[in-house]
Amino acid sequence: QVQLVESGGGSVQAGGSLRLSCTASRYRIRGNSMAWFRQAPEKEREGVAVVDGMGSITYADSVKGRFIIDRDNANDTVYLQMNSLKPEDTAMYYCASFAEQPSRPWYDPYRFKFWGQGTQVTVSS
């Protein structure tokens, strides 16, 4: 079955950087939207960034100017470069793909069918 595997999470101090990766197996990401979501304890899962099949990119306002999403179709991998990290960025980060419900907005988790298991990001002040 399709697998999305995230990596690159960890613990950093505020102002630091991390680069997350999400690699797909048994699935070609070319032409499909790839998104990053995050979920902090006791909070709803929220969209962080998305790159659609044509390469158009959208960011949540909370990360605009600090995070960069990019994709490597040849290696079926999407990345999230996170700079100037803040304690409020602390969360489990998930990648998602395949807009099963394309009428839903990109930041709605129910839009996507395939999910990774998540990678933890912890930012200390």
Side-chain angles (χ1 to χ4, degrees):
Q1 70 274 19
V2 173
Q3 280 191 319
L4 300 178
V5 179
E6 302 95 336
S7 61
S11 297
V12 295
Q13 290 193 325
S17 298
L18 285 172
R19 183 170 172 83
L20 306 183
S21 300
C22 170
T23 300
S25 59
R26 292 180 285 278
Y27 179 71
R28 302 308 307 271
I29 71 169
R30 185 184 300 275
N32 289 298
S33 293
M34 300 295 297
W36 285 97
F37 284 77
R38 66 186 181 186
Q39 188 167 18
E42 301 182 359
K43 290 192 174 181
E44 292 187 353
R45 193 168 295 192
E46 63 174 353
V48 174
V50 65
V51 52
D52 72 12
M54 300 298 290
S56 294
I57 292 172
T58 306
Y59 295 99
D61 287 343
S62 58
V63 306
K64 206 171 291 184
R66 300 188 298 122
F67 290 10
I68 300 170
I69 187 171
D70 65 336
R71 60 192 297 160
D72 178 356
N73 290 332
N75 292 299
D76 293 316
T77 299
V78 64
Y79 302 96
L80 186 69
Q81 176 67 42
M82 305 187 297
N83 302 318
S84 302
L85 283 162
K86 304 175 181 180
E88 51 263 44
D89 295 318
T90 295
M92 186 73 79
Y93 283 71
Y94 301 89
C95 71
S97 188
F98 192 76
E100 187 175 43
Q101 300 188 46
S103 62
R104 294 182 178 267
W106 73 269
Y107 49 83
D108 183 341
Y110 288 99
R111 176 181 176 94
F112 296 98
K113 179 177 181 179
F114 301 133
W115 290 85
Q117 83 290 346
T119 186
Q120 178 68 37
V121 171
T122 303
V123 184
S124 58
S125 57

